[in-house]
């Protein structure tokens, strides 16, 4: 259906001599494959580049071997990206992951006259600094957990003393201020657990760095869900609500991961709740950021707890979720490129976003052992047997010269199916997952179960 639409609108585009846009996507995961897939359906698209991309994105555009780890500093990497943008005459750079946004890639490219979909460094602090996000929410009365902030040379000792002497309510949540790859949040049921976690932070270099400031907050009871919106700073267009599955084990047990699967829409966010999220969280946040002089442009990911008192913010993220993006974009009927350009050019007011009314399920297939040590280089087979209308997005994969595909990371593939109801989407998704195999393949068998329970 989508491809017929694209051919028709492509002819329309050519007839009307509309400008084609060259696009660069930064990143290499399942989220970036989904972004590249969605953008490649746009009649507005000229050339598509992905840096560094993966074997899946390589089928949709040109992968460019440019990754931050190959450069001595952020500025050196940003400089290489700017050079690529100039050489390939890129009209829009879409930044997938949070780190470059928090480090200021948008400001760097915009100062050189280039368009970027993704917030500025000041605006990306919503994700990059938990103390900034909490300060903003408290100042503008955006519903979130009550919290206390700690900073200074003796920050961890101060948290310890406060928990021992002043805190009376358990559990509490201890959060390191900075980006910590999902490892900086500790839910502590009692003082002993809190002491253990503080010790863990003291002993881990990267955690200690992220914990220069610390937030200790009230534990919120409720069901978690996420809402995503594309915004030009003033106007916003809601995409889908979704639920991620962060733990490795079924029934939400075991270690935290990048995300083992997602589904959307989340039944806990009905239309009344969605309006409440817009009125009490989304627009107040955009307004607050404008008043603070850091207008937010890009996609805003609201991590929410749906409590008895209404929706409250658990966290903001300044980019699409992975694997939530893999269900959001297939559900989007509107042209992603057109909507992104409208957001970047401050004309979202005149742009509508239409979403499918179907249900979407994404199951992540991972290497056995993930998120701890796992083997790489296992041959992946069965992709050719997957039904045409089910999507498979790559993350940790590698293709050899002969075209064979191998595992090359923790999260390997995201399989995405839709259906008129959630049950149908889930069963179609698992039917296709079972056709794909590699040694040690692991996936959760309960993705979406929480939605069915409702
Ligand atoms: P964050 O990185 O802030 O999203 O936190 C990671 C996870 O910790 C969230 O997805 C929640 O499951 C949990 N969490 C964080 N803060 C709270 C809170 N105040 N109350 C309950 N759970 C929380
Ligand atoms: N799936 C969670 C995240 O992208 O942060």
């Amino acid at each position: 259906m989508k491809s017929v639409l694209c051919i028709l609108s492509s002819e329309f585009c050519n007839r009307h001599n509309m400008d084609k846009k060259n696009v660069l996507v930064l990143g290499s995961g399942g989220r970036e494959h989904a972004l590249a897939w969605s953008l490649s359906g746009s009649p507005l698209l000229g050339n598509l580049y992905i840096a560094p991309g993966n074997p899946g994105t390589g089928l949709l555009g040109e992968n460019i071997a440019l990754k931050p780890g190959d450069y001595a500093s952020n500025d050196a990497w940003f400089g290489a990206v700017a050079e690529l943008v100039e050489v390939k005459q890129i009209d829009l750079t879409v930044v997938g992951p949070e780190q470059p946004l928090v480090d200021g890639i948008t400001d760097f490219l915009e100062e050189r006259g280039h368009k970027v979909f993704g917030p500025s460094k000041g605006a990306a602090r919503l994700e990059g600094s938990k103390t900034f996000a909490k300060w903003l929410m408290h100042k503008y009365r955006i519903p979130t957990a009550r919290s206390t902030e700690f900073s200074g040379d003796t920050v961890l000792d101060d948290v310890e003393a406060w928990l021992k002497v002043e805190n009376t309510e358990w559990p509490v949540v201890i959060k390191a201020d900075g980006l910590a790859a999902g490892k900086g949040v500790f839910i502590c049921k009692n003082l002993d657990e809190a002491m253990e976690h503080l010790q863990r932070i003291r002993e881990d270099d990267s955690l200690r760095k992220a914990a220069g400031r610390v937030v200790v907050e009230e534990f919120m009871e409720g069901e978690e869900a996420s809402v995503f919106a594309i915004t030009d700073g003033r106007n916003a267009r809601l995409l889908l609500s979704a639920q991620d599955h962060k733990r490795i084990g079924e029934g939400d047990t075991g270690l935290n991961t990048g995300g083992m699967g997602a589904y959307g829409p989340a039944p806990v966010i009905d239309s009344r709740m969605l309006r409440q999220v817009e009125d009490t969280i989304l627009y107040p946040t955009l307004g607050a950021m404008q008043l603070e002089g850091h207008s937010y442009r890009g996609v805003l990911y609201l991590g929410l707890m749906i409590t008895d008192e209404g929706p409250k913010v658990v966290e903001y993220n300044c980019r699409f979720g992975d694997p939530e993006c893999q269900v959001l974009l297939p559900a989007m009927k509107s042209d992603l490129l057109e909507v992104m350009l409208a957001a970047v050019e401050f004309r979202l007011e005149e742009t509508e976003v239409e979403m499918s009314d179907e249900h979407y399920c994404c199951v992540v297939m991972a290497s056995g052992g993930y998120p701890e040590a796992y083997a790489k280089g296992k041959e992946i087979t069965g992709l050719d047997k997957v039904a045409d209308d089910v999507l498979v997005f790559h993350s940790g994969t590698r293709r050899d010269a002969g075209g064979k595909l191998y595992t090359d990371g923790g999260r390997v593939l995201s399989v995405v199916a839709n259906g008129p109801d959630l049950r149908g989407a889930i069963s179609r998704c698992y039917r296709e997952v079972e056709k794909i195999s590699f040694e040690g393949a692991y996936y959760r068998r309960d993705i979406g179960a929480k939605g069915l329970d409702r």
Side-chain angles (χ1 to χ4, degrees):
M1 182 64 189
K2 190 154 180 163
S3 54
V4 174
L5 204 74
C6 292
I7 295 163
L8 288 177
S9 15
S10 179
E11 281 170 7
F12 175 88
C13 235
N14 293 339
R15 246 196 341 263
H16 291 78
N17 200 18
M18 280 162 75
D19 258 359
K20 298 273 190 182
K21 305 290 180 192
N22 295 335
V23 178
L24 168 66
V25 175
L26 295 179
S28 63
R31 165 181 51 208
E32 287 76 21
H33 188 180
L35 282 164
W37 170 81
S38 191
L39 290 164
S40 68
S42 171
L44 288 174
L45 184 73
N47 296 325
L48 178 63
Y49 303 93
I50 310 93
N54 63 40
T57 63
L59 300 174
L60 300 166
E62 185 185 339
N63 284 345
I64 309 268
L66 189 93
K67 39 180 196 294
D70 293 344
Y71 294 85
S73 67
N74 275 332
D75 271 6
W77 180 53
F78 291 176
V81 173
E83 205 180 309
L84 178 68
V85 166
E86 278 144 31
V87 170
K88 299 288 188 189
Q89 300 184 320
I90 302 292
D91 298 292
L92 180 71
T93 300
V94 177
V95 186
E98 62 276 19
Q99 190 72 57
L101 293 167
V102 170
D103 291 339
I105 194 164
T106 300
D107 312 58
F108 189 94
L109 292 175
E110 283 185 348
E111 278 158 21
R112 287 158 181 76
H114 306 306
K115 288 182 180 159
V116 183
F117 182 81
S120 66
K121 183 173 182 164
R125 277 185 302 164
L126 277 184
E127 173 166 5
S129 168
K130 293 206 188 280
T131 54
F132 172 76
K134 294 303 289 193
W135 169 81
L136 189 89
M137 287 185 272
H138 292 320
K139 176 168 174 186
Y140 292 91
R141 299 186 187 285
I142 296 164
T144 185
R146 279 178 288 120
S147 64
T148 310
E149 186 190 317
F150 298 84
S151 59
D153 292 344
T154 55
V155 55
L156 296 175
D157 297 337
D158 294 347
V159 172
E160 180 172 333
W162 185 84
L163 287 171
K164 282 179 173 160
V165 179
E166 294 191 45
N167 181 53
T168 50
E169 279 174 48
W170 297 93
V172 297
V173 187
I174 300 179
K175 297 186 174 185
D177 179 57
L179 292 182
K183 293 192 303 175
V185 174
F186 301 95
I187 296 171
C188 316
K189 287 198 211 75
N190 50 45
L191 187 61
D192 286 348
E193 274 191 20
M195 294 305 113
E196 249 172 60
H197 291 313
L198 286 174
Q199 196 51 30
R200 200 166 299 164
I201 300 176
R202 287 187 179 100
E203 285 165 7
D204 181 313
D205 281 349
S206 65
L207 269 182
R208 221 179 34 243
K209 203 166 143 233
R213 290 164 182 263
V214 170
V215 171
V216 180
E217 69 178 33
E218 156 204 22
F219 178 81
M220 295 183 284
E221 297 279 358
E223 188 169 340
E224 263 188 279
S226 312
V227 168
F228 295 79
I230 289 182
T231 173
D232 62 8
R234 241 164 15 123
N235 305 287
R237 294 289 175 264
L238 286 171
L239 305 179
L240 204 65
S241 61
Q243 276 183 316
D244 186 11
H245 297 66
K246 286 187 179 152
R247 303 296 193 94
I248 188 71
E250 274 141 37
D252 296 330
T253 53
L255 294 174
N256 254 330
T257 69
M260 294 302 294
Y263 70 97
V268 65
I269 311 253
D270 58 16
S271 55
R272 216 192 84 238
M273 181 62 69
L274 204 53
R275 227 167 304 124
Q276 204 177 339
V277 171
E278 275 188 298
D279 293 346
T280 63
I281 295 174
L282 176 59
Y283 282 104
T285 303
L286 298 181
M289 291 303 281
Q290 275 199 321
L291 286 171
E292 295 300 328
H294 295 288
S295 180
Y296 188 101
R297 258 182 318 153
V299 62
L300 182 59
Y301 167 152
L302 303 173
L304 305 172
M305 189 70 79
I306 310 304
T307 72
D308 290 344
E309 296 162 9
K312 295 186 181 183
V313 177
V314 176
E315 62 167 346
Y316 293 110
N317 290 320
C318 63
R319 36 80 195 174
F320 284 102
D322 185 342
E324 294 94 321
C325 188
Q326 289 90 306
V327 296
L328 293 177
L329 297 185
M332 191 166 173
K333 286 175 153 180
S334 306
D335 181 340
L336 176 66
L337 179 51
E338 198 179 315
V339 178
M340 285 179 160
L341 286 167
V344 168
E345 293 164 1
F346 303 102
R347 46 181 186 79
L348 204 54
E349 195 171 9
E350 60 195 55
T351 308
E352 286 310 316
V353 171
E354 197 188 345
M355 300 299 292
S356 155
D357 50 19
E358 292 212 305
H359 294 252
Y360 290 76
C361 174
C362 166
V363 173
V364 171
M365 301 184 74
S367 299
Y370 172 79
E372 296 188 288
Y374 55 83
K376 291 185 186 176
K378 306 295 178 190
E379 189 179 347
I380 304 169
T381 56
L383 285 179
D384 52 333
K385 300 195 179 64
V386 173
D388 286 344
D389 56 353
V390 167
L391 294 159
V392 181
F393 296 119
H394 294 226
S395 350
T397 67
R398 177 177 60 80
R399 205 184 289 283
D400 72 5
K404 282 187 176 173
L405 202 63
Y406 298 89
T407 65
D408 198 36
R411 293 192 292 174
V412 177
L413 297 167
S414 302
V415 181
V416 184
N418 59 338
D421 55 32
L422 180 57
R423 191 176 299 280
I426 294 172
S427 63
R428 245 158 65 79
C429 192
Y430 278 106
R431 199 172 60 217
E432 303 306 316
V433 164
E434 278 157 25
K435 296 178 183 170
I436 303 170
S437 50
F438 51 88
E439 195 187 314
Y442 170 80
Y443 55 90
R444 273 180 64 165
R445 283 157 206 277
D446 64 345
I447 302 301
K450 226 186 295 176
L452 289 182
D453 288 347
R454 274 197 161 249

